[in-house]
Amino acid sequence: MPGISREEVAHLAKLARLELKGEELDHFAGQLDDIIGAVAAVSEVADDASVPPTSHPLPLTNVMRPDEVRASLTPQQALSGAPAQEQQRFKVPQILGEE
């Protein structure tokens, strides 16, 4: 596959309304050629039905613990250190200006 030319980069830059200097055109032509080559290499991979689809390249395992009911704080204990409380809830300053 032939590489992307400097003229093609200039055309793309014009379409994108970018003003590029001569050395930038040469630089980006090489980079775009590398990108196009990488995409071409990926597209060469055949659709192999024997490979299962994955969401992640490495196997992941969630660490789960059993959901068990345990003793917790009472509302009075939870609110004991609160500077203000109202109806067994933390009372905070109004921030939205609504009632």
Coordinates of all heavy atoms in Angstrom, one line a residue:
M1 N 0.8 -1.2 0.0 CA 0.0 0.0 0.0 C 0.9 1.2 0.0 O 1.8 1.4 0.9 CB -0.9 0.0 1.2 CG -1.8 1.2 1.4 SD -3.0 0.7 2.7 CE -3.2 2.2 3.5
P2 N 0.7 2.1 -0.9 CA 1.5 3.3 -1.0 C 1.3 4.3 0.2 O 0.2 4.3 0.7 CB 1.1 4.0 -2.3 CG -0.2 3.5 -2.6 CD -0.3 2.1 -2.0
G3 N 2.3 4.9 0.6 CA 2.2 5.9 1.8 C 1.3 7.1 1.4 O 1.1 7.4 0.2
I4 N 0.9 7.7 2.4 CA 0.1 9.0 2.2 C 1.1 10.1 1.8 O 2.2 10.2 2.3 CB -0.7 9.3 3.5 CG1 -1.7 10.5 3.2 CG2 0.2 9.7 4.6 CD1 -2.7 10.6 4.2
S5 N 0.7 10.8 0.8 CA 1.6 11.8 0.3 C 1.4 13.2 1.0 O 0.4 13.4 1.7 CB 1.3 12.1 -1.2 OG 0.0 12.7 -1.4
R6 N 2.4 14.0 0.8 CA 2.4 15.3 1.4 C 1.2 16.1 0.9 O 0.6 16.9 1.6 CB 3.7 16.0 1.1 CG 3.9 17.3 1.7 CD 5.3 17.9 1.3 NE 5.4 19.1 2.1 CZ 6.2 20.1 1.8 NH1 7.0 20.0 0.8 NH2 6.3 21.2 2.5
E7 N 0.9 15.9 -0.4 CA -0.2 16.7 -1.0 C -1.6 16.2 -0.4 O -2.5 17.1 -0.2 CB -0.3 16.4 -2.5 CG 0.9 17.1 -3.3 CD 2.2 16.4 -3.1 OE1 2.2 15.1 -2.9 OE2 3.3 17.0 -3.2
E8 N -1.7 14.9 -0.1 CA -2.9 14.5 0.6 C -3.0 15.1 2.0 O -4.1 15.4 2.4 CB -2.9 12.9 0.6 CG -3.1 12.3 -0.7 CD -2.9 10.8 -0.7 OE1 -1.9 10.3 -0.1 OE2 -3.7 10.1 -1.3
V9 N -1.9 15.2 2.7 CA -2.0 15.8 4.0 C -2.3 17.3 3.9 O -3.1 17.8 4.7 CB -0.6 15.6 4.7 CG1 -0.6 16.4 6.1 CG2 -0.3 14.2 5.0
A10 N -1.8 17.9 2.9 CA -2.1 19.4 2.7 C -3.6 19.5 2.4 O -4.3 20.4 2.8 CB -1.3 19.9 1.5
H11 N -4.2 18.6 1.6 CA -5.6 18.6 1.2 C -6.4 18.4 2.5 O -7.4 19.1 2.7 CB -5.9 17.5 0.2 CG -7.3 17.5 -0.2 ND1 -8.0 18.5 -0.9 CD2 -8.3 16.5 0.0 CE1 -9.2 18.2 -1.1 NE2 -9.4 17.0 -0.5
L12 N -6.0 17.4 3.3 CA -6.8 17.1 4.6 C -6.7 18.4 5.5 O -7.7 18.7 6.1 CB -6.2 15.9 5.3 CG -6.5 14.6 4.6 CD1 -5.7 13.5 5.3 CD2 -8.0 14.3 4.6
A13 N -5.5 19.0 5.6 CA -5.4 20.2 6.4 C -6.3 21.3 5.9 O -6.9 22.0 6.7 CB -3.9 20.6 6.4
K14 N -6.4 21.4 4.6 CA -7.2 22.5 4.1 C -8.7 22.2 4.4 O -9.4 23.1 4.8 CB -7.0 22.6 2.5 CG -7.9 23.6 1.9 CD -7.6 23.7 0.4 CE -8.5 24.8 -0.2 NZ -8.4 24.8 -1.7
L15 N -9.1 20.9 4.3 CA -10.5 20.6 4.6 C -10.8 20.8 6.1 O -11.9 21.2 6.5 CB -10.7 19.1 4.3 CG -10.8 18.7 2.8 CD1 -10.9 17.2 2.6 CD2 -11.9 19.4 2.1
A16 N -9.8 20.6 6.9 CA -9.9 20.8 8.4 C -9.6 22.2 8.8 O -9.7 22.6 9.9 CB -9.0 19.9 9.1
R17 N -9.3 23.1 7.8 CA -9.0 24.5 8.0 C -7.8 24.7 9.0 O -7.9 25.5 9.9 CB -10.2 25.2 8.5 CG -11.4 25.3 7.5 CD -12.5 26.0 8.0 NE -13.6 26.0 7.0 CZ -14.8 26.5 7.1 NH1 -15.1 27.1 8.2 NH2 -15.7 26.4 6.1
L18 N -6.8 23.9 8.7 CA -5.6 23.9 9.5 C -4.5 24.5 8.6 O -4.4 24.1 7.4 CB -5.1 22.5 10.0 CG -6.1 21.8 10.9 CD1 -5.6 20.4 11.1 CD2 -6.2 22.6 12.2
E19 N -3.7 25.4 9.1 CA -2.6 25.9 8.4 C -1.3 25.2 8.8 O -0.9 25.4 10.0 CB -2.5 27.4 8.6 CG -1.4 28.1 7.8 CD -1.4 29.6 8.0 OE1 -2.5 30.2 8.2 OE2 -0.3 30.2 7.9
L20 N -0.7 24.4 7.9 CA 0.5 23.7 8.3 C 1.7 24.1 7.5 O 1.5 24.5 6.3 CB 0.2 22.2 8.0 CG -0.9 21.5 8.8 CD1 -1.0 20.0 8.4 CD2 -0.6 21.6 10.3
K21 N 2.8 24.1 8.1 CA 4.1 24.5 7.4 C 4.6 23.2 6.7 O 4.1 22.1 6.9 CB 5.1 25.0 8.4 CG 4.6 26.2 9.2 CD 5.7 26.6 10.2 CE 5.3 27.9 10.8 NZ 5.1 27.9 12.2
G22 N 5.6 23.4 5.9 CA 6.2 22.3 5.1 C 6.7 21.2 5.9 O 6.4 20.0 5.6
E23 N 7.4 21.5 7.0 CA 8.0 20.4 7.8 C 6.8 19.7 8.6 O 6.9 18.5 8.8 CB 9.1 20.9 8.8 CG 8.6 21.9 9.8 CD 8.7 23.4 9.3 OE1 9.0 23.6 8.1 OE2 8.4 24.3 10.1
E24 N 5.8 20.4 8.9 CA 4.6 19.8 9.5 C 3.9 18.8 8.6 O 3.5 17.7 9.0 CB 3.6 20.8 10.0 CG 4.2 21.6 11.2 CD 3.2 22.7 11.6 OE1 2.7 23.4 10.7 OE2 3.0 22.9 12.8
L25 N 3.8 19.2 7.3 CA 3.2 18.3 6.3 C 4.0 17.0 6.2 O 3.4 15.9 6.2 CB 3.2 19.0 5.0 CG 2.2 20.2 4.8 CD1 2.4 20.8 3.5 CD2 0.8 19.7 5.0
D26 N 5.3 17.1 6.2 CA 6.1 15.9 6.1 C 6.0 15.0 7.4 O 5.9 13.8 7.3 CB 7.6 16.2 5.9 CG 7.8 16.9 4.5 OD1 7.1 16.6 3.6 OD2 8.8 17.7 4.4
H27 N 6.0 15.7 8.5 CA 5.9 15.0 9.8 C 4.6 14.3 9.9 O 4.5 13.1 10.2 CB 6.1 16.0 10.9 CG 6.0 15.4 12.3 ND1 6.9 14.6 12.8 CD2 5.0 15.5 13.2 CE1 6.6 14.2 14.0 NE2 5.4 14.8 14.3
F28 N 3.5 15.0 9.6 CA 2.1 14.4 9.7 C 1.9 13.3 8.6 O 1.2 12.3 8.8 CB 1.0 15.4 9.6 CG 1.0 16.3 10.9 CD1 0.9 17.7 10.7 CD2 1.1 15.8 12.1 CE1 0.8 18.5 11.8 CE2 1.0 16.6 13.2 CZ 0.9 17.9 13.1
A29 N 2.5 13.4 7.5 CA 2.4 12.4 6.4 C 3.0 11.1 7.0 O 2.3 10.0 6.8 CB 3.1 12.8 5.2
G30 N 4.1 11.1 7.6 CA 4.7 9.9 8.2 C 3.8 9.3 9.3 O 3.6 8.1 9.4
Q31 N 3.3 10.2 10.2 CA 2.4 9.7 11.2 C 1.1 9.1 10.7 O 0.7 8.1 11.2 CB 2.1 10.9 12.2 CG 3.2 11.3 13.1 CD 2.9 12.3 14.1 OE1 1.9 13.1 13.9 NE2 3.6 12.4 15.2
L32 N 0.5 9.8 9.7 CA -0.8 9.3 9.2 C -0.5 8.0 8.4 O -1.4 7.1 8.4 CB -1.4 10.3 8.2 CG -2.0 11.5 8.9 CD1 -2.4 12.6 7.9 CD2 -3.2 11.1 9.7
D33 N 0.6 7.8 7.8 CA 1.0 6.6 7.1 C 1.1 5.5 8.1 O 0.6 4.3 7.9 CB 2.3 6.8 6.3 CG 2.5 5.6 5.4 OD1 1.5 5.2 4.7 OD2 3.6 5.2 5.3
D34 N 1.7 5.7 9.3 CA 1.8 4.7 10.4 C 0.4 4.3 10.9 O 0.1 3.2 11.1 CB 2.6 5.2 11.5 CG 4.1 5.4 11.2 OD1 4.5 4.8 10.2 OD2 4.8 6.1 11.9
I35 N -0.5 5.3 11.0 CA -1.8 5.0 11.5 C -2.6 4.2 10.5 O -3.3 3.2 10.9 CB -2.6 6.4 11.8 CG1 -1.9 7.1 13.0 CG2 -4.1 6.1 12.1 CD1 -2.4 8.5 13.2
I36 N -2.5 4.6 9.3 CA -3.2 3.8 8.2 C -2.7 2.4 8.1 O -3.4 1.4 8.0 CB -3.1 4.5 6.9 CG1 -3.9 5.8 6.9 CG2 -3.6 3.6 5.7 CD1 -3.7 6.7 5.7
G37 N -1.4 2.2 8.3 CA -0.8 0.9 8.3 C -1.3 0.0 9.5 O -1.6 -1.1 9.4
A38 N -1.4 0.7 10.7 CA -1.9 -0.1 11.8 C -3.4 -0.5 11.7 O -3.8 -1.6 12.0 CB -1.8 0.8 13.1
V39 N -4.2 0.4 11.1 CA -5.6 0.1 10.8 C -5.7 -1.1 9.8 O -6.5 -2.0 9.9 CB -6.4 1.3 10.4 CG1 -7.8 0.9 9.9 CG2 -6.5 2.3 11.5
A40 N -4.8 -1.0 8.8 CA -4.8 -2.1 7.8 C -4.4 -3.4 8.4 O -5.0 -4.5 8.1 CB -3.9 -1.7 6.7
A41 N -3.5 -3.4 9.3 CA -3.1 -4.6 10.0 C -4.2 -5.2 10.8 O -4.4 -6.4 10.9 CB -1.8 -4.4 10.9
V42 N -4.9 -4.4 11.5 CA -6.1 -4.8 12.3 C -7.2 -5.4 11.4 O -7.8 -6.4 11.7 CB -6.6 -3.7 13.2 CG1 -7.9 -4.1 13.9 CG2 -5.6 -3.3 14.3
S43 N -7.4 -4.7 10.3 CA -8.5 -5.2 9.4 C -8.1 -6.5 8.7 O -9.0 -7.2 8.2 CB -8.8 -4.1 8.4 OG -7.7 -3.9 7.5
E44 N -6.9 -6.9 8.7 CA -6.5 -8.2 8.1 C -6.8 -9.4 9.0 O -6.9 -10.5 8.5 CB -4.9 -8.2 7.9 CG -4.5 -7.3 6.7 CD -3.0 -7.3 6.6 OE1 -2.3 -8.0 7.3 OE2 -2.5 -6.5 5.7
V45 N -7.1 -9.1 10.3 CA -7.4 -10.2 11.2 C -8.8 -10.7 10.7 O -9.8 -10.0 10.6 CB -7.5 -9.7 12.6 CG1 -8.0 -10.8 13.5 CG2 -6.1 -9.2 13.0
A46 N -8.8 -12.0 10.5 CA -10.1 -12.7 10.1 C -11.0 -12.8 11.2 O -10.6 -12.9 12.4 CB -9.8 -14.0 9.5
D47 N -12.3 -12.8 10.9 CA -13.3 -13.1 11.9 C -13.3 -14.5 12.3 O -13.6 -15.4 11.6 CB -14.7 -12.7 11.4 CG -15.8 -12.9 12.5 OD1 -15.4 -12.9 13.6 OD2 -17.0 -13.0 12.1
D48 N -12.8 -14.8 13.5 CA -12.6 -16.2 14.0 C -13.7 -16.5 15.0 O -13.6 -16.0 16.1 CB -11.2 -16.3 14.6 CG -10.8 -17.8 14.8 OD1 -11.7 -18.7 14.6 OD2 -9.7 -18.1 15.3
A49 N -14.6 -17.4 14.6 CA -15.7 -17.7 15.5 C -15.2 -18.5 16.7 O -16.0 -18.6 17.7 CB -16.8 -18.5 14.7
S50 N -14.0 -19.1 16.7 CA -13.6 -19.9 17.8 C -13.0 -19.0 18.9 O -12.8 -19.6 20.0 CB -12.4 -20.8 17.3 OG -11.3 -20.1 16.9
V51 N -12.9 -17.8 18.7 CA -12.4 -16.9 19.8 C -13.6 -16.2 20.4 O -14.3 -15.4 19.7 CB -11.4 -15.8 19.2 CG1 -11.0 -14.9 20.3 CG2 -10.2 -16.5 18.6
P52 N -13.9 -16.4 21.6 CA -15.1 -15.8 22.2 C -14.9 -14.3 22.4 O -13.8 -13.8 22.7 CB -15.2 -16.5 23.6 CG -13.8 -16.9 23.9 CD -13.2 -17.2 22.6
P53 N -16.0 -13.5 22.3 CA -15.8 -12.1 22.5 C -15.5 -11.8 24.0 O -16.0 -12.5 24.9 CB -17.2 -11.5 22.1 CG -18.1 -12.7 22.0 CD -17.3 -13.9 21.9
T54 N -14.8 -10.8 24.2 CA -14.4 -10.4 25.6 C -14.6 -9.0 25.9 O -14.6 -8.2 24.9 CB -12.9 -10.8 25.9 OG1 -12.1 -10.1 25.0 CG2 -12.7 -12.3 25.8
S55 N -14.8 -8.6 27.1 CA -14.9 -7.2 27.4 C -13.6 -6.6 28.0 O -13.4 -5.4 28.1 CB -16.0 -7.0 28.5 OG -15.6 -7.7 29.7
H56 N -12.6 -7.5 28.2 CA -11.4 -7.1 28.8 C -10.3 -8.2 28.4 O -10.6 -9.4 28.3 CB -11.5 -7.1 30.3 CG -10.4 -6.3 31.0 ND1 -9.2 -6.8 31.3 CD2 -10.3 -5.0 31.3 CE1 -8.4 -5.9 31.9 NE2 -9.1 -4.8 31.9
P57 N -9.1 -7.7 28.1 CA -8.1 -8.7 27.6 C -7.6 -9.7 28.7 O -7.1 -10.7 28.4 CB -6.9 -7.8 27.2 CG -7.1 -6.5 27.9 CD -8.6 -6.4 28.0
L58 N -7.8 -9.3 30.0 CA -7.4 -10.2 31.1 C -8.6 -10.7 31.8 O -9.6 -9.9 32.0 CB -6.5 -9.4 32.0 CG -5.2 -8.8 31.4 CD1 -4.5 -8.0 32.5 CD2 -4.3 -9.9 30.9
P59 N -8.6 -11.9 32.4 CA -9.7 -12.3 33.1 C -9.9 -11.5 34.4 O -8.9 -11.3 35.1 CB -9.4 -13.8 33.4 CG -7.9 -13.9 33.3 CD -7.5 -12.9 32.3
L60 N -11.1 -11.1 34.7 CA -11.4 -10.3 35.9 C -12.3 -11.1 36.8 O -13.2 -11.8 36.3 CB -12.1 -9.0 35.5 CG -11.2 -8.0 34.7 CD1 -12.1 -6.8 34.3 CD2 -10.0 -7.6 35.4
T61 N -12.1 -11.0 38.1 CA -13.0 -11.6 39.0 C -13.4 -10.6 40.1 O -12.5 -10.0 40.7 CB -12.2 -12.8 39.7 OG1 -11.8 -13.7 38.7 CG2 -13.2 -13.6 40.6
N62 N -14.7 -10.5 40.3 CA -15.1 -9.6 41.3 C -15.0 -10.3 42.7 O -15.3 -11.5 42.8 CB -16.6 -9.2 41.1 CG -16.7 -8.2 40.1 OD1 -15.8 -7.4 39.8 ND2 -17.9 -8.1 39.5
V63 N -14.5 -9.6 43.7 CA -14.4 -10.1 45.0 C -15.7 -9.8 45.7 O -16.0 -8.6 46.0 CB -13.2 -9.6 45.8 CG1 -13.1 -10.1 47.2 CG2 -11.9 -9.9 45.0
M64 N -16.5 -10.8 46.0 CA -17.8 -10.5 46.6 C -17.8 -11.2 48.0 O -17.2 -12.2 48.3 CB -18.9 -11.1 45.8 CG -18.9 -10.7 44.4 SD -19.3 -8.9 44.2 CE -21.1 -9.1 44.2
R65 N -18.5 -10.5 48.9 CA -18.7 -11.1 50.2 C -20.2 -11.4 50.4 O -21.0 -10.7 49.7 CB -18.2 -10.2 51.3 CG -18.9 -8.9 51.4 CD -18.5 -8.1 52.7 NE -19.1 -6.8 52.7 CZ -20.3 -6.5 53.0 NH1 -21.1 -7.4 53.4 NH2 -20.7 -5.2 53.0
P66 N -20.6 -12.3 51.2 CA -22.0 -12.6 51.4 C -22.7 -11.4 52.0 O -22.1 -10.6 52.8 CB -22.0 -13.7 52.4 CG -20.6 -14.2 52.5 CD -19.7 -13.2 52.0
D67 N -23.9 -11.1 51.5 CA -24.7 -10.0 52.0 C -25.4 -10.5 53.3 O -26.4 -11.3 53.3 CB -25.7 -9.6 50.9 CG -26.4 -8.3 51.3 OD1 -25.9 -7.6 52.2 OD2 -27.5 -8.0 50.7
E68 N -24.9 -10.0 54.4 CA -25.4 -10.5 55.7 C -25.9 -9.3 56.5 O -25.2 -8.2 56.5 CB -24.3 -11.2 56.5 CG -23.7 -12.4 55.9 CD -22.5 -12.9 56.6 OE1 -21.9 -12.3 57.5 OE2 -22.0 -14.0 56.2
V69 N -27.0 -9.5 57.2 CA -27.5 -8.4 58.0 C -26.7 -8.4 59.3 O -26.4 -9.4 60.0 CB -29.0 -8.7 58.4 CG1 -29.5 -7.7 59.3 CG2 -29.8 -8.8 57.1
R70 N -26.2 -7.2 59.6 CA -25.4 -7.0 60.8 C -25.9 -5.9 61.6 O -26.6 -5.0 61.1 CB -23.9 -6.8 60.5 CG -23.2 -7.9 59.7 CD -21.8 -7.7 59.6 NE -21.4 -6.7 58.6 CZ -20.2 -6.4 58.2 NH1 -19.2 -6.9 58.8 NH2 -20.0 -5.5 57.2
A71 N -25.5 -5.8 62.9 CA -25.9 -4.7 63.7 C -25.2 -3.4 63.2 O -24.1 -3.4 62.7 CB -25.4 -4.9 65.1
S72 N -26.0 -2.3 63.2 CA -25.5 -1.0 62.7 C -25.8 0.1 63.8 O -26.4 -0.2 64.8 CB -26.0 -0.7 61.4 OG -27.4 -0.6 61.4
L73 N -25.4 1.3 63.4 CA -25.7 2.4 64.4 C -27.2 2.7 64.4 O -27.9 2.6 63.4 CB -25.0 3.6 63.9 CG -23.4 3.6 63.9 CD1 -22.9 4.9 63.3 CD2 -22.9 3.3 65.3
T74 N -27.6 3.1 65.6 CA -29.0 3.6 65.7 C -29.0 5.1 65.1 O -27.9 5.7 65.0 CB -29.5 3.6 67.1 OG1 -28.7 4.6 67.8 CG2 -29.4 2.3 67.8
P75 N -30.2 5.6 64.8 CA -30.2 7.0 64.3 C -29.6 7.9 65.3 O -28.9 8.9 64.9 CB -31.7 7.2 64.1 CG -32.3 5.9 63.8 CD -31.5 4.9 64.6
Q76 N -29.8 7.7 66.6 CA -29.3 8.6 67.6 C -27.7 8.5 67.6 O -27.1 9.5 67.8 CB -29.8 8.2 69.0 CG -31.3 8.5 69.2 CD -32.2 7.5 68.5 OE1 -31.7 6.3 68.3 NE2 -33.4 7.8 68.3
Q77 N -27.2 7.3 67.5 CA -25.7 7.2 67.5 C -25.1 7.8 66.2 O -24.1 8.5 66.3 CB -25.4 5.7 67.5 CG -25.6 5.0 68.8 CD -25.4 3.5 68.7 OE1 -25.7 2.9 67.7 NE2 -25.0 2.9 69.8
A78 N -25.8 7.6 65.1 CA -25.3 8.2 63.8 C -25.3 9.7 63.9 O -24.4 10.4 63.4 CB -26.1 7.7 62.7
L79 N -26.3 10.3 64.5 CA -26.5 11.8 64.6 C -25.8 12.4 65.8 O -25.8 13.6 65.9 CB -28.0 12.1 64.5 CG -28.7 11.8 63.3 CD1 -30.2 11.9 63.5 CD2 -28.2 12.6 62.1
S80 N -25.2 11.6 66.6 CA -24.6 12.1 67.9 C -23.5 13.2 67.6 O -23.4 14.1 68.4 CB -24.1 11.0 68.7 OG -23.0 10.4 68.1
G81 N -22.8 13.1 66.6 CA -21.7 14.1 66.3 C -22.1 15.1 65.3 O -21.3 16.0 65.0
A82 N -23.4 15.1 64.9 CA -23.8 16.1 63.9 C -24.0 17.5 64.5 O -24.5 17.6 65.6 CB -25.1 15.7 63.2
P83 N -23.6 18.6 63.9 CA -23.8 19.9 64.4 C -25.2 20.3 64.5 O -25.6 21.0 65.3 CB -23.0 20.8 63.5 CG -22.7 20.0 62.3 CD -22.8 18.6 62.6
A84 N -26.0 19.8 63.5 CA -27.5 20.1 63.5 C -28.2 18.9 63.0 O -27.7 18.2 62.1 CB -27.7 21.3 62.7
Q85 N -29.4 18.6 63.5 CA -30.2 17.5 63.0 C -31.7 17.9 63.0 O -32.1 18.8 63.8 CB -30.0 16.3 63.8 CG -30.2 16.4 65.3 CD -30.0 15.2 66.1 OE1 -30.7 14.2 65.8 NE2 -29.0 15.1 66.9
E86 N -32.5 17.3 62.2 CA -33.9 17.6 62.1 C -34.6 16.3 61.6 O -34.2 15.7 60.6 CB -34.1 18.7 61.1 CG -35.6 19.2 61.0 CD -35.7 20.3 60.1 OE1 -35.3 21.5 60.4 OE2 -36.2 20.1 58.9
Q87 N -35.6 15.8 62.3 CA -36.4 14.7 62.0 C -35.5 13.4 61.7 O -35.7 12.7 60.7 CB -37.3 14.9 60.8 CG -38.3 16.0 61.0 CD -39.1 16.3 59.8 OE1 -38.8 15.8 58.7 NE2 -40.1 17.1 59.9
Q88 N -34.6 13.2 62.6 CA -33.6 12.1 62.5 C -32.8 12.1 61.2 O -32.5 11.1 60.7 CB -34.3 10.7 62.7 CG -34.9 10.5 64.1 CD -35.3 9.1 64.3 OE1 -35.5 8.3 63.3 NE2 -35.5 8.7 65.5
R89 N -32.5 13.3 60.8 CA -31.6 13.5 59.6 C -30.6 14.6 59.9 O -30.8 15.4 60.7 CB -32.5 13.9 58.4 CG -33.5 12.8 58.0 CD -34.2 13.3 56.7 NE -35.1 12.3 56.3 CZ -36.5 12.3 56.5 NH1 -37.0 13.4 57.1 NH2 -37.2 11.4 56.1
F90 N -29.5 14.5 59.1 CA -28.5 15.6 59.2 C -29.1 16.8 58.6 O -29.7 16.8 57.5 CB -27.2 15.2 58.4 CG -26.5 14.1 59.0 CD1 -26.6 12.8 58.5 CD2 -25.6 14.3 60.1 CE1 -25.9 11.8 59.0 CE2 -24.9 13.3 60.6 CZ -25.0 12.0 60.1
K91 N -29.0 18.0 59.3 CA -29.5 19.2 58.8 C -28.3 20.0 58.2 O -27.3 20.2 58.9 CB -30.2 20.0 59.9 CG -30.8 21.3 59.4 CD -31.6 22.0 60.5 CE -32.2 23.3 59.9 NZ -33.0 24.0 61.0
V92 N -28.4 20.4 57.0 CA -27.3 21.1 56.3 C -27.8 22.4 55.8 O -29.0 22.6 55.6 CB -26.7 20.2 55.1 CG1 -26.1 19.0 55.6 CG2 -27.8 19.9 54.1
P93 N -26.9 23.4 55.5 CA -27.4 24.6 55.0 C -28.0 24.5 53.6 O -27.6 23.7 52.8 CB -26.1 25.5 54.9 CG -25.1 24.8 55.7 CD -25.5 23.3 55.7
Q94 N -29.0 25.3 53.3 CA -29.7 25.3 52.0 C -28.7 25.9 51.0 O -28.1 26.9 51.2 CB -30.9 26.2 52.1 CG -31.8 26.1 50.9 CD -33.1 26.9 51.2 OE1 -33.4 27.3 52.3 NE2 -33.8 27.1 50.1
I95 N -28.6 25.2 49.8 CA -27.7 25.6 48.8 C -28.3 26.0 47.5 O -27.7 26.6 46.7 CB -26.6 24.5 48.5 CG1 -27.2 23.2 48.1 CG2 -25.7 24.3 49.8 CD1 -26.3 22.2 47.5
L96 N -29.6 25.6 47.3 CA -30.2 25.8 46.0 C -31.2 27.0 46.0 O -31.7 27.4 45.0 CB -31.0 24.6 45.5 CG -30.1 23.4 45.2 CD1 -30.9 22.2 44.8 CD2 -29.1 23.7 44.2
G97 N -31.4 27.5 47.2 CA -32.3 28.7 47.3 C -33.8 28.3 47.1 O -34.6 29.1 46.8
E98 N -34.1 27.0 47.3 CA -35.5 26.5 47.2 C -36.0 26.2 48.6 O -35.2 25.9 49.5 CB -35.6 25.3 46.3 CG -35.1 25.6 44.8 CD -35.1 24.3 44.0 OE1 -35.5 23.3 44.5 OE2 -34.8 24.4 42.8
E99 N -37.3 26.1 48.7 CA -37.9 25.7 50.0 C -38.3 24.3 50.0 O -38.6 23.7 49.0 CB -39.0 26.7 50.3 CG -38.5 28.1 50.4 CD -38.9 28.8 51.7 OE1 -39.5 28.2 52.5 OE2 -38.6 30.0 51.8

